[in-house]
Amino acid sequence: MLKIENLHATVGDTEILKGLSLEINVGEVHAIMGPNGAGKSTLAYVLGGRDGYEVTSGSATFNGQDILDMDPHERAALGLFLGFQYPVEIPGVSNLQFLRESLNSQRKSRDEEPLSGGEFIKLAKEKAALLKMDMEMLKRAVNVGFSGGEKKRNEMVQMGILNPELAILDETDSGLDIDALRTVGSGINAIMRDEKKAVLLITHYQRLLDEVQPDYVHVLAKGRIVKTGGPELALQLEEQGYEAVAA
Amino acid sequence: MTDNIKTEIRDAKEIDERAEMNAEAQAAADKASAYEHGWSSDIEQEFAEKGLNEDTVRFISAKKEEPEWMLEWRLKAFRIWQEMESPDWAKLDIPMIDYQDAYYYAEPKKKPELDSLDDVDPEILRVYEKLGIPIAEQEVLAGVKGARKVAVDAVFDSVSVATTFREELEAAGVIFRSISEAIREYPDLVRKYLGKVVPVKDNYFAALNCAVFSDGTFVYVPEGVRCPMELSTYFRINAENTGQFERTLIVADKGAYVSYLEGCTAPQRDENQLHAAVVELVALDDAEIKYSTVQNWYPGDENGKGGIYNFVTKRGLCQGKNSKISWTQVETGSAITWKYPSCVLNGENSVGEFYSVALTNNYQQADTGTKMIHNGKGSRSTIISKGISAGKSDNTYRGLVRVGPAAENVRNFTQCDSLLLGDTCGAHTVPYIEVKNPTAQIEHEATTSKISDDQMFYAQQRGLDEEEAVSLIVNGFAKEVLKELPMEFAVEAQKLLAISLEGSVG
């Protein structure tokens, strides 16, 4: 599904990704762990197509298509979703309006009919219930006045509504209390555990991986994947730290 | 000053901020969208001779078959205007206007019947269609059954072409007429109020309008009547080198209510055209007037060539107790906008409101705001201004809040927010606050922001393309004001903001 080969990327004059390779197949859940500054968020932004994150060499394909020359909204329409570490506030725009316009814009790109207001509300209610989010929250402006935990939960509701093929979730577990972590974890499983979908979790902690069990765990350090293993690798990292494991 | 005074002025001095957004957005400023309404229709025009003198004034008055008092009033205004000078206090770069090199009166030659839309020149109807008149009105024009009722008085160049729904309005006792007709049919009523809110010598452009106004609208809602439908007027400048000087007078008698919407477009011309309107509103005891404007006159091209000079005087008088006047404006057009819809709050416990979105792109200049003059005890006012600047444009909010010595317990809340797109545009906030009574509570808040890269990427990652993302964020910014518009016009206004910003990022 996602195939990254020898990816180099710079931000400003600094090279952050230095030859990163990674392959994710449908039905798989991958976790990337690594110390601060290793390039985890940069990887997410590069895949999302953010301005200012420049790929200098290497390739990334999604279902065989080169995505690196695509605009962010084109990648989104292909089924690539980014869960943000710091979800952004958009004053004056309700979550429902934001998501309906986003979804219908994606559908238009895929030559699908737009969803009517009624169909959309039904979908939104279903996904909000899955994440135990009050519909009233969705009527409020995007992330404005939301707590850290509410913002993360809102990201997952968005993921549910947009129904991507690949979700890259950047520290979705940070800022969540124990109950919220469980809700978010089961939400990810419900939405993304599917033989046609895949997940890339970016995290620092084992606790999310207790909820969403990965098939593969990678250690990212200094801009490349330095070690890959099964779920046991995360436990080892938790016990011994990055330096011991990745050295 | 006593302890009673609670004057929160977080930002009373001029804020002059140049934007600091990324370079890409700025480069984009050059690529302006083509003006959607930029075409001109071939309807024969009958002009007054070019130039401005007493004969021009007499010609217009005669064309309108006006009574003698009206002609005298115009001539007096013309003489006053000649003694006045064009104001230069606004933050505007106004090129020399040659008042002798323009036409002051143009009417479609094939003068249509005034009482039925069927008789309107199909060319004119086509013009409205191209204009994208709000759906509600299109339905009305098409005669769709069950369409929400909106009465339309269309001013095409200088002549009022058709007024729909006249009979139903008349059954309710509402007078909705072109001002020319009203001067002939209701001279006493017009004479009682004309020039009473905006005096002839109020300012240079108002005096000019008094002398040469060609048409406009008159509304009178009698005591206790709630106007049964929205009233609406379209103004359109069609002929080259024609000024449009329309005059609007709306009177809401005791306990009456009326909502009025004005929409404006002008075809694309290389010359600059002058528009100097005067709008006067009068609300008596317990009356309410809601006046909404969507203005998208031709703004000029991406190099700043052409476009309308829009010098407008709009003022409402809350004469009676508990009266209320609410201005809502969405200003996206014109090369230069000079406009301050104001409220004179003489009535006890009267209320004034001003909700404004002003968007400038390319080389547009806007200096707009309001004046809230509190003379009545317990009078209250709210000002919400949203300025959006893009391209190389300059956008200034200028507002006065004045509290007279006898006005006890006045309250005002002002909020001025500016949004910048690119780093070559300007946003300025110039509040004037004059308080002569210590019981007043005046609050002023101002913010300046830009669309952040974070917001753009977030919206794009969810599936919106760049222009959709900008449009969404800008509409969110303007929402507090847009929600004050009648619903069908709010939808149009949202589209208009998107169209006006096309090409401003990229």
Side-chain angles (χ1 to χ4, degrees), chain A residues 45 48 50 72-73 76 80-82 84 88-89 91-93 98 101-102 105-106 143 155 158 162, chain B residues 22 24 452-455 457-466 468 472-473 475-477 479 494:
Chain A
Y45 285 149
R50 182 166 187 158
H73 72 278
L80 189 88
F81 177 88
L82 221 61
F84 282 62
V88 181
E89 298 181 4
V93 178
F98 178 55
E101 284 190 26
S102 297
S105 205
Q106 286 197 20
N143 292 320
E155 290 292 285
Q158 296 187 22
L162 297 173
Chain B
N22 55 28
E24 296 106 20
S452 72
D453 296 349
D454 283 342
Q455 286 175 324
F457 179 59
Y458 193 59
Q460 288 174 278
Q461 208 297 310
R462 294 301 181 250
L464 300 174
D465 69 26
E466 200 160 23
E468 290 169 333
L472 184 89
I473 294 164
N475 273 297
F477 173 77
K479 188 180 180 187
Q494 282 184 18

Side-chain angles (χ1 to χ4, degrees), chain A residues 70-200:
Chain A
M70 291 183 186
D71 285 338
H73 72 278
E74 295 169 328
R75 305 181 196 203
L78 286 182
L80 189 88
F81 177 88
L82 221 61
F84 282 62
Q85 185 181 358
Y86 303 108
V88 181
E89 298 181 4
I90 308 181
V93 178
S94 77
N95 282 290
L96 290 173
Q97 182 195 355
F98 178 55
L99 287 169
R100 185 171 169 210
E101 284 190 26
S102 297
L103 178 61
N104 280 338
S105 205
Q106 286 197 20
R107 291 177 68 94
K108 196 176 161 197
S109 304
R110 297 193 292 256
D111 285 326
E112 295 165 7
E113 288 295 309
L115 235 51
S116 73
E119 290 168 323
F120 177 77
I121 293 292
K122 194 170 161 245
L123 175 68
K125 272 188 181 156
E126 182 193 316
K127 301 303 173 185
L130 196 63
L131 273 304
K132 296 182 181 162
M133 178 118 140
D134 192 340
M135 273 302 276
E136 289 305 309
M137 295 277 289
L138 290 185
K139 292 177 188 164
R140 285 166 49 187
V142 179
N143 292 320
V144 176
F146 285 28
S147 71
E150 286 167 341
K151 285 180 181 175
K152 293 301 177 67
R153 203 183 291 218
N154 189 23
E155 290 292 285
M156 294 303 99
V157 174
Q158 296 187 22
M159 180 173 77
I161 289 170
L162 297 173
N163 194 26
E165 285 185 36
L166 173 66
I168 300 165
L169 306 179
D170 190 2
E171 298 200 21
T172 294
D173 51 341
S174 65
L176 295 180
D177 62 33
I178 297 162
D179 291 346
L181 184 75
R182 234 167 245 160
T183 308
V184 163
S186 64
I188 296 171
N189 288 328
I191 297 161
M192 297 303 296
R193 278 285 187 190
D194 186 306
E195 60 189 16
K196 291 181 187 142
K197 295 180 176 180
V199 181
L200 177 59

